[in-house]
Amino acid sequence: MMTVDLRSDTVTKPTPGMLEAMWSAKVGDDVFGEDPSVNELEAKAAAMFGMEAGIFCPSGTMTNQIAIKCFTQPLDELIADQTAHVYRYEGGGIAFNSAVSTRLLNGERGIITAEMIEPEINAENVHYPHTSLVVLENTVNKGGGKCYTLNQIAPIAALCKQTGLKLHLDGARIFNALTYTGDKAVDYSQYFNGISVCLSKGLGTPVGSVLLADKETIKYARRLRKALGGGMRQAGFLAAAGIYALDHHVERLKIDHSHAYTLAEELGKLSWVSHVVPVETNIVLFDTVEAADAVVKKLADKGIKANSTGKNRIRFVTHLDVHPEQVEYTISTMKTL
């Protein structure tokens, strides 16, 4: 029986080329700023997105939380969609790390607009928290991998500039978004104060994200990373995986998207599936007639791993360890349920 892991794109294993790059990495003590591979990764990612500097961290949660801390003060408030990863899946870190409240909006599959944001910006009044930050997520996890285009981001950035707010991007699957929209990474710098670039999802690295910003913000971010326990020593072995991924794994994201489109098309033909959310990238959300957990169990019995994300909703995520024959096996298996 074949095993197909569709739970997340975080389950990938390093490819042989990536392992070779890690094995041969030049390393030093990164807390002292002496790891050449980490320095190379940070500079490479910053240049790709047109930002001044970067800092390598163990996780996207850490890069997001550091960014929020950099761009806010206690008693402030940030604005985000109600599905936002920074709010739902980062352990309450906004309140714990930054003493900041959150104003949640109901976007379309996680996509919010300047028109939605503007009336939620608090007036200067001692009764209200000070609005200081907007956080966007690209792609939107809970929105089924839905993407912001730069044309959608531009008016939000203009509003933030006009009102003195900072704008941060949780780029958990930013390269999936760029693959779908055709936008250029370097153009993001004109809109965002901070960008978190995750390397351990579609790009397939074992660990790590990079926070990008101006030099002064990154200088403060290094202090925050240390305080949060994220100061790594010979981290170049991990950074080398990130460099390899940026060089070799971005273009192939089209394959993951193609697999997701194929799965979604076939799911739409099945009697036990009541709805399939339109697919843009590598995430497939679909609703089931019977309880999702029961369907997940049936799939698991056939070697197909998936997650339920609601009473009647299941998520598939394609990635570099999902191959065409596994997609075919998944489809043929689902037809038998």
Side-chain angles (χ1 to χ4, degrees):
M1 184 173 64
M2 187 177 291
T3 298
V4 187
D5 197 337
L6 297 170
R7 291 173 298 170
S8 176
D9 43 9
T10 61
V11 301
T12 57
K13 303 295 193 302
T15 61
M18 184 178 287
L19 285 171
E20 177 59 30
M22 296 169 70
W23 182 254
S24 59
K26 297 178 180 179
V27 299
D29 192 318
D30 180 49
V31 177
F32 293 157
E34 296 176 353
D35 191 300
S37 296
V38 172
N39 294 341
E40 181 183 349
L41 172 63
E42 292 171 346
K44 184 181 186 70
M48 290 181 77
F49 284 87
M51 304 292 275
E52 285 187 357
I55 180 171
F56 182 48
C57 294
S59 70
T61 293
M62 184 175 284
T63 50
N64 284 333
Q65 292 301 314
I66 288 175
I68 291 168
K69 186 72 173 173
C70 284
F71 298 139
T72 65
Q73 295 293 325
L75 304 181
D76 280 0
E77 184 167 82
L78 67 80
I79 296 174
D81 185 77
Q82 58 91 16
T83 65
H85 191 280
V86 295
Y87 174 74
R88 285 182 175 256
Y89 301 117
E90 298 188 6
I94 294 172
F96 184 78
N97 295 315
S98 298
V100 167
S101 61
T102 307
R103 180 73 62 93
L104 299 175
L105 307 182
N106 292 304
E108 175 63 31
R109 289 177 59 189
I111 302 295
I112 59 177
T113 66
E115 290 74 20
M116 297 173 63
I117 295 167
E118 187 169 16
E120 304 302 326
I121 299 172
N122 290 329
E124 286 300 326
N125 186 310
V126 294
H127 295 90
Y128 310 142
H130 172 68
T131 308
S132 59
L133 175 66
V134 174
V135 179
L136 307 181
E137 183 180 337
N138 213 11
T139 66
V140 183
N141 181 4
K142 290 284 285 184
K146 189 166 179 61
C147 305
Y148 281 94
T149 65
L150 283 177
N151 286 337
Q152 292 171 303
I153 292 167
I156 297 174
L159 174 64
C160 289
K161 185 175 183 179
Q162 174 190 337
T163 54
L165 275 61
K166 301 292 188 181
L167 183 60
H168 172 65
L169 178 68
D170 173 8
R173 295 178 174 88
I174 183 59
F175 287 104
N176 292 93
L178 292 168
T179 298
Y180 177 77
T181 64
D183 292 329
K184 298 185 184 304
V186 71
D187 291 333
Y188 272 65
S189 61
Q190 61 187 302
Y191 300 121
F192 290 99
N193 301 98
I195 301 173
S196 170
V197 178
C198 186
L199 303 169
S200 63
K201 295 188 176 74
L203 297 189
T205 71
V207 174
S209 290
V210 182
L211 174 62
L212 308 175
D214 61 73
K215 291 179 181 178
E216 282 302 308
T217 298
I218 295 302
K219 181 179 179 181
Y220 183 46
R222 292 193 184 280
R223 179 176 292 275
L224 293 174
R225 185 184 68 173
K226 181 64 175 176
L228 292 171
M232 299 179 286
R233 299 297 178 174
Q234 288 72 30
F237 295 111
L238 300 173
I243 294 168
Y244 183 90
L246 291 174
D247 287 340
H248 299 281
H249 288 174
V250 174
E251 185 66 25
R252 63 151 309 283
L253 290 173
K254 296 176 183 177
I255 299 171
D256 299 342
H257 294 185
S258 178
H259 288 162
Y261 303 153
T262 300
L263 287 169
E265 182 179 5
E266 295 300 324
L267 281 162
K269 302 174 183 178
L270 301 175
S271 61
W272 52 269
V273 174
S274 60
H275 174 66
V276 181
V277 175
V279 173
E280 293 186 0
T281 52
N282 69 322
I283 299 176
V284 184
L285 297 179
F286 61 97
D287 298 329
T288 55
V289 176
E290 65 176 315
D293 285 345
V295 177
V296 167
K297 175 64 167 59
K298 292 177 182 179
L299 290 169
D301 290 342
K302 300 292 187 179
I304 300 167
K305 300 179 181 180
N307 281 333
S308 60
T309 62
K311 183 178 179 182
N312 291 89
R313 175 157 288 188
I314 294 174
R315 185 182 81 159
F316 286 168
V317 186
T318 55
H319 49 78
L320 62 81
D321 283 342
V322 174
H323 306 295
E325 61 272 19
Q326 293 175 307
V327 174
E328 293 174 7
Y329 173 77
T330 299
I331 292 169
S332 62
T333 300
M334 292 192 304
K335 290 179 179 178
T336 69
L337 296 187

